[in-house]
Every structure is written in structure tokens, then in C-alpha cells.
């Protein structure tokens, strides 16, 4: 059942190239993006003036990535809110609000209650979901399925990548319907997105270095993760994975926030993962993150840097460089998280923990 892997989590991590390929499969026809399940009237999609993504845990981190993509492509103000906070704070929701509910299981009660609340206020709800026939897509106006296959491990990995890929499809579809991007721009973005499964496979094929790192770091009692732009939710997700299955204190930060407090945590030997954006994207973004690596290293941190192939600017400040293939800044979220997933999985396995069934957690949280 585990296909020769020590855990379902390890198996699911290694299925991610195919998983993302399946999420993207058959979406482009005659140069235009087709999302057949999106049966919300285009005039309604054109009238949307705000998007609110509601989700919990890993799905909320996928939502944070979605926000960067949707705002960039569609110019629609987009918020991401933990579903349990959204539901109980009297949020501003109107008929012009599009609520995007992300849930692997489709049964998370917190997210379901947020969906019900949004619909009561007249909002349209699109569910991004993995489990066909589950409650959240049934109670939504439209559903976009991940098609990544069943996810057994409590820690979400392949569904996270599928959720991000599905959010990109939703963003591009909205940009198409609303005329924010030209058809050739959408085709170029889709062409790059379709390269991602092969690039995921390259990351997986090079996992030896991160596996060794995990084996050497079993005694760590705190690990920090830093990133900017989509590297920020990636840092949050890396920290969540480590807490969840390896029971190690971990925190993800927006790298720019360091100097506003968290840098006080850094002392000699503190492991800090840093997710570096492409040097070929916005230059200032890249150079700011390189400065952040420098700042934590100067205070004694052990810097574990995830950077694009050929990015040599990080070398003077990195104790370890983990390479990922080059892609657009936005799409890197589908690559840079993989070493972090492998790190947690390997570390928890090396500690002899139950990777697939971590203590105190359930795969699907069906209570509020
Ligand atoms: O099924 P859902 O996507 O709604 O689940 C949401 C969270 O409970 C879930 O992502 C949780 O954070 C994972 N165990 C993280 O790996």
C-alpha cells in the first residue's frame, strides 16, 4: 500500500509530480482555459469586487499563495482568512464577494461553517477540494477538484500542491473571464505551469541532501523559516509540517518582519531555513531576502537556504544551499516547499515517530 516507502507521507510526497500534472490536465482547449466545474455565470464573476479565501491549516497556506497570484493577475482585492476566525467576526460579505473555500477533505467543520455563513450573506462560493461528493463542494455554488488522488497521511503534502495549482487555474480563469490578461499571456503562463511537474520530479530526484540534513538535525529543538512573497506562506507551511509530525518548535515568518522582533530569537547555531525568490524576478525582492540571510547569519544562525539553480548571490551567507529549478516567482511555491516537506518527513522518521498519525491530530477535523 505504501509502495515501498516507509510512510504514506513519504509516498505522497513522491507522488507530487503526477499529482500536479493531474490537477492541470485537460484545462486548456483551443488556447482558452476551461474550468467545466465553474458553473457560475460569467457576468457574476465579472461583477466580483472582493475575494475572500477561507480555509484552515495547510489549506490556508495554499490560500495565502493564491492571494499573491489572484491579486497580481486579476487586480481583485483578495483576503485570506482562517475559516474559524471569518465565521465569528461579522465579516463584510456581499453579493459581489467571491468566497473561495479550500479544503482537501471537504469535511472540515470550521470551513463548512464559513461557507454557510458566506452564502447566507449572498456571496457566491467556489470550493477547491480533493474529495468528490464531500460536504463543502456540495454546499458551494461551484467546485474545482484537485484530482490528486486520496491523501492518507494526516500531514497534507500532495493536496497542498494540488490546492496551489488549482488556485492558479482559478486566478487565470478569472483573469480570462474579466479580460485582465490577453489570451497569449494566459497561454504563456499555462506553458510555464505545465513545466512544473517535471521540475517537481527534479526536486524529488535530488532529495539526498535534504534527507541527510534531516538525519543530522534530529536533536534540533527549534527551527525558524523565513520567506517573502510566496516564500512567506512556504515558510509557514514548512514550520507547520515540522510541528505537526516531528513535534519540534518551529515558526514561519515574513522575512521583513525579522527586525520587528523575531530576530531576537536568533542565537549561535539556531537553524534558519530561508526561501529565496528567483533572482530573475523582481530584483529588489531577491536582494532583500539575501540581506535577511546575511542578518541572521551575522547573529550566529545556521542558514539553510533554498534557492534557484545558478543563484550564486546566496553562497557567501549560506551554510547549506538546496537547489530548485528556475521558474516564475509565483510558481516557485510549487517547488520550494518540497525540500521542507521531505525534511520534516525524514526527521520524524529518523526519530521513530508515527509520521502518518501524529499525536493529537486527525486527518479531517469535523468538529468546530
Ligand atoms: O481537509 P482540509 O484541507 O480542510 O484540512 C485543513 C487542515 O486541517 C489541514 O490542512 C491540516 O492543517 C493538515 N494536517 C496539515 O498538514
Amino acid at each position: 500500500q505504501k509502495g515501498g516507502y516507509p510512510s504514506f507521507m513519504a509516498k505522497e510526497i513522491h507522488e507530487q509530480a503526477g499529482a500536479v500534472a493531474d490537477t492541470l490536465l485537460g484545462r486548456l482547449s483551443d488556447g482558452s482555459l476551461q474550468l467545466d466545474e465553474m458553473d457560475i455565470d460569467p457576468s457574476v464573476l465579472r461583477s466580483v469586487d472582493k475575494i475572500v479565501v477561507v480555509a484552515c491549516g495547510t489549506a490556508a497556506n495554499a490560500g495565502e499563495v493564491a492571494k499573491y497570484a489572484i491579486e497580481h493577475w486579476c487586480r481583485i482585492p483578495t483576503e485570506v482568512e482562517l475559516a474559524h476566525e471569518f465565521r465569528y467576526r461579522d465579516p463584510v460579505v456581499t453579493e459581489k464577494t467571491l468566497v473561495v473555500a479550500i479544503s482537501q477533505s471537504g469535511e472540515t467543520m470550521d470551513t463548512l461553517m464559513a461557507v454557510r455563513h458566506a452564502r447566507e450573506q449572498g456571496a457566491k462560493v467556489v470550493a477547491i477540494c480533493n474529495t468528490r461528493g464531500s460536504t463543502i463542494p456540495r454546499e458551494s455554488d461551484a467546485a474545482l477538484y484537485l484530482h490528486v488522488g486520496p491523501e492518507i497521511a494526516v500531514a497534507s503534502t500532495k493536496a497542498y500542491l494540488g490546492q496551489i495549482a488549482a488556485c492558479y487555474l482559478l486566478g487565470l480563469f478569472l483573469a480570462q473571464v474579466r479580460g485582465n490578461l490577453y489570451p497569449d499571456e494566459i497561454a504563456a503562463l499555462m506553458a510555464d505551469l505545465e513545466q512544473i511537474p517535471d521540475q517537481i520530479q527534479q526536486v524529488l530526484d535530488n532529495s539526498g541532501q535534504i534527507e541527510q540534513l534531516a538525519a543530522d538535525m534530529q536533536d534540533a529543538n527549534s527551527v525558524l523559516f523565513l520567506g517573502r512573497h510566496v516564500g512567506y506562506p512556504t515558510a509557514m507551511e514548512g514550520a507547520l509540517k515540522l510541528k505537526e509530525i516531528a513535534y519540534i518548535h518551529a515558526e514561519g515568518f515574513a522575512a521583513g518582519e525579522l527586525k520587528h522582533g523575531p530576530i531576537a530569537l536568533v542565537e549561535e547555531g539556531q537553524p534558519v531555513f530561508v526561501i529565496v525568490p528567483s533572482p530573475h524576478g523582481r530584483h529588489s525582492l531577491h536582494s532583500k531576502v539575501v540581506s535577511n540571510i546575511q542578518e541572521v547569519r551575522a547573529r550566529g544562525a545556521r542558514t539553510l537556504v533554498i534557492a534557484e539553480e545558478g543563484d550564486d548571490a546566496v553562497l557567501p551567507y549560506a551554510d547549506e544551499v538546496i537547489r530548485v529549478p528556475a521558474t516564475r516567482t509565483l510558481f516557485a511555491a510549487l517547488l520550494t516547499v518540497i525540500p521542507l516537506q521531505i525534511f520534516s518527513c525524514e526527521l520524524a522518521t529518523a526519530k521513530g515517530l508515527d509520521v502518518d498519525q501524529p499525536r493529537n491530530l486527525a486527518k479531517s477535523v469535523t468538529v468546530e
Side-chain angles (χ1 to χ4, degrees), residues 11-24 148 157-158 160-162 164-165 168 192-207 309 323-327 331-339 341-342:
K11 174 173 178 269
E12 288 160 4
I13 287 173
H14 286 272
E15 285 172 353
Q16 292 185 113
V20 170
D22 287 344
T23 305
L24 301 177
V148 300
T157 54
K158 65 176 180 176
Y160 178 66
L161 262 60
I164 294 173
Y168 291 152
D192 287 351
L193 200 46
E194 281 167 355
Q195 298 297 312
I196 294 282
D198 284 346
Q199 296 180 318
I200 291 173
Q201 195 55 52
Q202 288 173 41
V203 179
L204 294 170
D205 291 344
N206 285 322
S207 57
E309 278 154 12
R323 294 293 184 185
V324 292
T327 186
F331 294 164
L334 290 170
L335 302 177
T336 50
V337 73
I338 297 170
Q341 297 170 333
I342 296 171

Side-chain angles (χ1 to χ4, degrees), residues 18-32:
V20 170
D22 287 344
T23 305
L24 301 177
L25 191 69
R27 305 295 194 174
L28 208 54
S29 150
D30 290 335
S32 96

